Amino acid sequence: MSPLGKLESALCDTNGVYIGAEQNAEEYLAALRSDIRSHVCEPFQLSATVMAPGFPDVPVGSVPTGQCVAFREGYWLIYESEKDRFLCFWGTDRNSLGAHGVYGSPLYCWSA
């Protein structure tokens, strides 16, 4: 399946998404899905340096690579096909991004 196909099929996964007591869960999740979809891009390869706190399976200082499937200023949603997971990269210079250990469902990553 393509990275965008993986993204679309994973938008129903709400694992890890924090929803405050005052928020309407359905509205909040719908808004997250809409925001991701409005920032979807043609996938392209992107790398970042793992920063603290890091990932459980990737040491700080490593440089993971994946397919960027959505981005907005300073925030990059990545699909890592080798591990079949989504993760976040942060930064405004796409040649110098950081990965701070946020991974999981696209909704969780986008809300982090």
Side-chain angles (χ1 to χ4, degrees):
M1 183 179 292
S2 74
L4 292 180
K6 283 287 196 178
L7 172 63
E8 191 58 39
S9 68
L11 287 177
C12 63
D13 183 354
T14 61
N15 284 329
V17 178
Y18 174 78
I19 301 171
E22 71 286 349
Q23 292 176 304
N24 177 298
E26 287 186 31
E27 288 176 6
Y28 179 68
L29 294 170
L32 275 177
R33 287 183 188 100
S34 177
D35 195 41
I36 290 172
R37 287 178 177 131
S38 72
H39 289 90
V40 164
C41 61
E42 188 63 35
F44 60 93
Q45 192 166 337
L46 200 58
S47 298
T49 302
V50 176
M51 313 289 236
F55 299 89
D57 59 338
V58 183
V60 171
S62 297
V63 182
T65 299
Q67 294 291 311
C68 181
V69 293
F71 71 93
R72 64 178 181 229
E73 186 64 31
Y75 195 84
W76 313 76
L77 181 62
I78 308 299
Y79 176 65
E80 191 178 29
S81 61
E82 298 78 30
K83 296 183 180 178
D84 191 28
R85 67 179 178 184
F86 291 88
L87 48 115
C88 296
F89 293 169
W90 280 279
T92 55
D93 178 355
R94 70 188 273 175
N95 296 313
S96 182
L97 300 176
H100 297 268
V102 174
Y103 69 97
S105 75
L107 293 176
Y108 168 72
C109 290
W110 202 254
S111 68

